[in-house]
Amino acid sequence: MLIIVAEVDMEELGTALAVAVKTARTERGLTAEALASMSGVSRAMISKIERCEAQPSAVLLAKLAVAFGMTLSELIARAEGGQERLRRSSEQPSWTDPETGYTRKAISPPSSPALELVEVTLPAGAEVSYPAGSYRFTEQQIWVLDGQLRFIEGAKIHELDTGDCLQLGPATDCTFSNPTKKPCRYLIALDKSAAARLHQPYLTTKD
């Protein structure tokens, strides 16, 4: 299968992410210290991210997104900009986590108000962990497109093969792991309308 991915200048995206983080913080009237307390990300790191002196990992961005009351993909979408209802394959941007090398590809148009589709490629032997707060705003399903994925949901371990689809349960600490020697590719479907039913942001200081 030929997969066409939009070419994204990572330096430009890093600058845009810095602006997106600072804008989201100031829009909410938060100081860097307040955001640090709410997210569990140090004030020094937040300052480095906003000054584009450090490229944040997916885990750090997820913690900041939770504090802002949005999903990780929404925060990245802010950096990408745009309100189009059609996002062609060649226009779907990808972002690579500097720590693990895993890649997130934004499938859904940026204007999508409730449904969000994200394609992830997890390298062989890699794993990414997220705190429970990362899942508090959405209902999610994972559909394995190619390879094998070990999804650790709290104390429960799910061994997923190609074609398997898992509905996530109540928010808990989770880990995406690829124990094989080949990359794993999977789709995450998020129902962001769940956030509207919570009435107020969920804040976490859990690392």
Side-chain angles (χ1 to χ4, degrees), residues 1-195:
M1 177 183 294
L2 175 62
I3 302 174
I4 302 175
V5 180
E7 294 185 3
V8 178
D9 187 313
M10 295 306 294
E11 184 174 346
E12 289 184 3
L13 181 56
T15 300
L17 275 171
V19 173
V21 169
K22 186 172 184 178
T23 299
R25 177 176 65 78
T26 55
E27 283 178 348
R28 289 159 178 75
L30 298 172
T31 64
E33 290 183 358
L35 179 58
S37 176
M38 293 161 58
S39 66
V41 178
S42 72
R43 181 181 181 280
M45 177 55 71
I46 291 172
S47 296
K48 287 182 178 180
I49 292 172
E50 292 186 351
R51 294 197 302 267
C52 205
E53 295 177 355
Q55 185 179 359
S57 67
V59 174
L60 287 183
L61 284 176
K63 289 182 177 181
L64 293 174
V66 168
F68 293 143
M70 63 178 69
T71 66
L72 170 58
S73 295
E74 284 177 311
L75 182 57
I76 294 176
R78 277 197 169 205
E80 295 164 353
Q83 292 297 319
E84 297 81 7
R85 292 189 300 116
L86 172 64
R87 175 174 274 174
R88 299 190 183 280
S89 177
S90 60
E91 300 170 343
Q92 295 166 359
S94 62
W95 176 80
T96 301
D97 179 15
E99 289 191 355
T100 64
Y102 102 103
T103 300
R104 293 174 63 93
K105 181 181 178 184
I107 305 297
S108 300
S111 61
S112 178
L115 179 64
E116 186 175 319
L117 301 177
V118 179
E119 181 183 315
V120 177
T121 299
L122 190 63
E127 70 175 36
V128 182
S129 299
Y130 295 103
S134 300
Y135 304 93
R136 186 69 171 89
F137 295 109
T138 63
E139 293 183 5
Q140 300 188 29
Q141 292 186 359
I142 302 170
W143 181 27
V144 180
L145 302 174
D146 188 38
Q148 295 177 307
L149 176 68
R150 176 176 295 158
F151 183 67
I152 305 172
E153 186 179 24
K156 177 70 174 180
I157 299 177
H158 304 276
E159 300 288 355
L160 306 177
D161 295 317
T162 300
D164 291 348
C165 185
L166 173 69
Q167 168 73 47
L168 271 63
T172 185
D173 294 349
C174 293
T175 297
F176 293 83
S177 176
N178 180 0
T180 74
K181 296 181 179 181
K182 296 181 179 179
C184 174
R185 192 165 56 89
Y186 54 92
L187 185 77
I188 299 178
L190 306 92
D191 175 11
K192 298 185 292 186
S193 63

